[in-house]
Amino acid sequence: MSVWLPTAKLLNLAGVPYPYLNLIASGSANVISEIKFEVTERCNLSCSFCHQNFGVKDGITDLDRKAYLRFLQAAKAERIPIVRITGGEPLLLKAADEYLRLAKEMGFKTIVNTNGTALTEKRVDGLKGLVDGFKISLPAANEESMDAMTGHKGVWRRKWEAIERLEKHGFLVGVLTVMTTENIQRFQQFIDLLGPHETLRWQPLRAETQDDGRRPVTAQDIRSLAAYIADARKSPRWKDLRLGLATPFCALENPYDGVKLFCGGASCGPVKSLAVTSEGGVVACYSRRGALDVSHGLRKAGQALATDDFEHLPAVCRHCPLAPQCRGGCRCEYALDDTPYGRIDYLAEPWRMPHAGEFAPPP
């Protein structure tokens, strides 16, 4: 397979090392840095944006300790440096503290994804030394919207109490916000809300497609969001702000803006991470649930899928100078559309790229 790569000058402009992109494009990269453990399906909220509808389906499956240890040891052997505990709501699981302790004893850096509602003062104090960083979901910019999105009252207060406790105890805290259309419209409210908390890192996330066909944002939504991010980055407080999860760069009128404003598909599983489900299987990410064969190792499984994903991109994407980082956007089945160019992320507009004429569909 032939892949046209951009010049080093273009990649330096993007702030991304040229050799790294070369490796990704060729499929020879081995860059998985994180393994995520969905330690439980249990969740005490019913968030409307949840990719698994955890709080709605009343899941009760917890990850078996033997399975956890098996994959933890595999990750250690393959020098994967970060373990992330997630769910469901992982802090509803009593064994979560033990799982974190085991990971720290083996030398991993640890992250906890949480909705924050279980982070009482006692719990926060007990997690000292076990957690290197927390990722707390903040899916709304005000209390009324929070009630509506989570299906419960009082969540706004509990989340902010948890954030302030973590700040007080010196934990690294990232705030995750799924950028629905409403949240895009309220972008400035998030900036005003989080700006004074200088130790917090805000990570806006693309709203993911759902298995019922819901596609929560449009390309115009994404263009508006990119403009807001670009404006915010003028402030030193937000100079590194980018949209997380795979979003195709060609959703923007100038796709090259996506290099700085979007994390791209290279930031997602299976390039960056893999996830262990509560049932003990390994999947590419929270949205792509097909079980992976990891009999030859976690890294090889991730690399094989990442290479396969790249090779199955439409030709207009494979030959795009931004493909190694963009990777065509999301490859979740629910996000893909059949187009004259091939099967691709529904937000992608590849005709915006200068080279697209070489792959123009027949009239």
Side-chain angles (χ1 to χ4, degrees):
M1 178 186 69
S2 154
V3 178
W4 175 54
L5 291 178
T7 63
K9 182 178 180 181
L10 173 60
L11 293 171
N12 287 336
L13 177 66
V16 181
Y18 179 66
Y20 171 77
L21 291 183
N22 238 335
L23 289 170
I24 291 288
S26 68
S28 60
N30 197 5
V31 296
I32 288 177
S33 61
E34 182 178 37
I35 184 164
K36 301 172 182 176
F37 289 93
E38 298 175 357
V39 295
T40 184
E41 289 183 335
R42 303 169 197 269
C43 190
N44 56 340
L45 300 182
S46 304
C47 299
S48 59
F49 58 85
C50 180
H51 54 278
Q52 292 294 319
N53 292 323
F54 281 122
V56 175
K57 70 181 184 182
D58 295 323
I60 59 172
T61 304
D62 299 330
L63 180 63
D64 179 75
R65 187 178 187 276
K66 290 182 179 178
Y68 176 76
L69 277 173
R70 182 170 72 252
F71 287 114
L72 197 67
Q73 290 163 351
K76 179 68 175 178
E78 297 190 44
R79 298 183 180 179
I80 297 173
I82 299 171
V83 163
R84 185 185 302 227
I85 301 296
T86 181
E89 172 47 52
L91 297 182
L92 296 180
L93 185 68
K94 291 182 179 179
D97 293 33
E98 180 194 0
Y99 285 1
L100 289 164
R101 184 174 292 105
L102 289 168
K104 291 302 294 180
E105 288 173 353
M106 292 178 67
F108 290 97
K109 291 184 178 179
T110 57
I111 297 172
V112 174
N113 274 36
T114 174
N115 62 35
T117 58
L119 281 170
T120 62
E121 183 70 33
K122 181 178 179 181
R123 194 69 187 278
V124 170
D125 191 60
L127 290 170
K128 287 181 178 178
L130 300 182
V131 183
D132 293 296
F134 286 88
K135 304 287 187 180
I136 294 188
S137 59
L138 191 73
N142 57 60
E143 187 170 3
E144 181 181 1
S145 297
M146 183 74 75
D147 290 347
M149 294 191 81
T150 62
H152 294 265
K153 292 186 179 295
V155 175
W156 176 265
R157 174 183 55 80
R158 292 167 70 185
K159 281 180 180 287
W160 274 104
E161 287 175 350
I163 289 171
E164 289 168 355
R165 285 189 188 108
L166 293 174
E167 286 183 296
K168 181 181 72 175
H169 286 275
F171 285 102
L172 295 175
V173 182
V175 173
L176 307 178
T177 301
V178 174
M179 300 308 292
T180 60
T181 299
E182 177 183 352
N183 283 342
I184 292 170
Q185 294 168 349
R186 296 182 182 273
F187 184 91
Q188 188 59 45
Q189 292 184 35
F190 285 101
I191 291 291
D192 295 340
L193 182 67
L194 298 169
H197 296 262
E198 295 184 359
T199 61
L200 295 183
R201 183 178 184 273
W202 186 36
Q203 179 65 82
L205 300 173
R206 172 185 174 174
E208 296 180 86
T209 53
Q210 305 285 340
D211 59 3
D212 60 4
R214 279 184 295 153
R215 292 181 172 180
V217 291
T218 66
Q220 184 54 55
D221 288 329
I222 293 297
R223 287 191 281 273
S224 297
L225 177 56
Y228 295 145
I229 292 174
D231 188 60
R233 284 169 60 102
K234 295 174 184 176
S235 164
R237 172 71 174 91
W238 304 112
K239 62 184 177 65
D240 297 320
L241 192 64
R242 301 168 84 191
L243 180 64
L245 302 184
T247 304
F249 296 175
C250 62
L252 302 182
E253 292 179 4
N254 179 1
Y256 291 87
D257 289 341
V259 178
K260 289 186 177 180
L261 302 179
F262 298 163
C263 292
S267 70
C268 292
V271 179
K272 182 181 177 183
S273 64
L274 294 176
V276 177
T277 71
S278 59
E279 296 178 341
V282 179
V283 297
C285 67
Y286 298 137
S287 295
R288 300 176 67 188
R289 312 299 291 182
L292 300 180
D293 177 6
V294 294
S295 59
H296 298 291
L298 295 167
R299 290 188 182 276
K300 286 188 177 180
Q303 183 176 321
L305 181 56
T307 303
D308 186 68
D309 282 347
F310 194 90
E311 291 177 344
H312 282 85
L313 285 173
V316 69
C317 293
R318 293 198 313 273
H319 289 76
C320 176
L322 304 181
Q325 185 181 352
C326 170
R327 296 186 63 85
C330 183
R331 297 307 292 173
C332 170
E333 184 64 25
Y334 312 132
L336 302 181
D337 266 348
D338 290 315
T339 75
Y341 290 93
R343 195 155 175 78
I344 191 173
D345 190 318
Y346 81 98
L347 289 172
E349 298 181 352
W351 56 88
R352 295 184 183 278
M353 296 301 299
H355 73 287
E358 301 173 35
F359 304 95

